Amino acid sequence: MCLAAFGTLMLGVGLPALADNPGYDRPGYGFTPVVLGAGDITVEQGLPDWSRDRQAGITSSQYSADSLLRIGIGGPLELQLSSSPWNSLRQSGAGSDYSSQGHGDTILGLKLALPSSNQAFSWGLLGSVEFTDGAKAFRSAQRQYLLGTQFNLQTNERNSLGLYLQDVRSGGADSSTVAVSDNYALNKTLTLYAEAAWLHAPDQGGGTVAGGGLAWMITPRVQFDAGFDRRLGGAAPEWQTNLGVSIYFGH
């Protein structure tokens, strides 16, 4: 863990514990459809996340310290700013050996919590734009526009189900994600999850992944997460893992 992340963690541990933390967007696909209260802030940090893929005999391995800043702006809205200030990419095989480090693109997003008459059901929208300001090896070729929808159903006091739908438009083409998840709370601080997703990119076709992990609330303000996804078939990353910390700075 870098010194900045460690310092933020210590600050989060030292803050008074409150019970109105609305939850985190990490880990896994999708996001929490609940927004932060006005003036509240959450920082979610990869420590880092990792992915590996293999195509045409070339193996690519990438570490990304993804950072997400969430700010409650009042009502059903939440502002989000994210990037990956540190990335490391290594490619090998087929006679090539390449490595690079640098920062990723900046992403500006807005989350909307939608109304629901059923306390067990929540849903929300997330829209964002990704700017092409990252280092050469880690920036998108063109500006990307994302629209995601999250549906959550609390089936009982321990178990909840999630459905995430996402479309990303870039250069006149669309990439899609459909993900389902099952979350089970072992106790008040430890939650296990399983997920499966179908991914489709216009230049690669479709593929499926599945995996799971855990989220551990070490205090009412601080959560650690760890998990993985494995490719089942088609065009999708061979492995994806997440390791991160999220801290709620609420009133």
Side-chain angles (χ1 to χ4, degrees):
M1 185 187 303
C2 68
L3 291 178
F6 181 78
T8 304
L9 172 60
M10 292 300 98
L11 176 59
V13 172
L15 288 171
L18 299 182
D20 56 355
N21 185 343
Y24 303 107
D25 284 5
R26 291 184 65 96
Y29 287 94
F31 56 90
T32 175
V34 183
V35 300
L36 295 168
D40 290 354
I41 294 174
T42 287
V43 176
E44 305 188 21
Q45 180 65 53
L47 295 178
D49 299 322
W50 171 77
S51 64
R52 188 179 74 177
D53 199 7
R54 182 177 299 171
Q55 295 184 9
I58 298 177
T59 299
S60 300
S61 181
Q62 180 170 331
Y63 293 89
S64 296
D66 295 320
S67 301
L68 172 63
L69 175 66
R70 299 167 50 201
I71 304 172
I73 56 178
L77 296 173
E78 175 184 296
L79 183 67
Q80 298 195 351
L81 180 65
S82 61
S83 184
S84 49
W86 177 83
N87 296 272
S88 178
L89 173 65
R90 175 69 184 273
Q91 295 179 327
S92 60
S96 69
D97 191 359
Y98 170 82
S99 63
S100 181
Q101 294 188 4
H103 65 91
D105 291 338
T106 299
I107 303 172
L108 182 63
L110 186 67
K111 183 195 293 186
L112 171 65
L114 296 171
S116 174
S117 59
N118 185 349
Q119 291 186 347
F121 174 75
S122 58
W123 61 316
L125 295 175
L126 177 64
S128 69
V129 55
E130 179 176 338
F131 302 95
T132 57
D133 59 343
K136 182 177 180 180
F138 305 102
R139 66 171 176 255
S140 299
Q142 300 184 63
R143 187 171 294 184
Q144 295 188 359
Y145 301 90
L146 177 150
L147 179 62
T149 307
Q150 178 72 42
F151 305 89
N152 281 5
L153 178 64
Q154 191 75 34
T155 58
N156 56 52
E157 64 178 10
R158 288 183 176 269
N159 200 71
S160 66
L161 303 176
L163 170 64
Y164 178 60
L165 308 176
Q166 174 186 287
D167 181 79
V168 176
R169 188 153 184 88
S170 177
D174 294 273
S175 300
S176 303
T177 299
V178 178
V180 294
S181 61
D182 187 357
N183 303 271
Y184 184 79
L186 295 178
N187 50 49
K188 292 183 178 180
T189 62
L190 188 61
T191 298
L192 302 180
Y193 73 91
E195 65 180 7
W198 174 79
L199 316 173
H200 182 271
D203 56 341
Q204 297 178 353
T208 54
V209 299
L214 59 87
W216 175 33
M217 294 289 294
I218 63 172
T219 81
R221 290 184 179 271
V222 180
Q223 172 187 278
F224 278 113
D225 67 79
F228 74 97
D229 285 293
R230 176 77 164 106
R231 181 177 63 205
L232 300 181
E238 183 179 11
W239 284 100
Q240 299 175 98
T241 67
N242 60 272
L243 177 66
V245 60
S246 302
I247 306 174
Y248 168 64
F249 297 92
H251 294 94

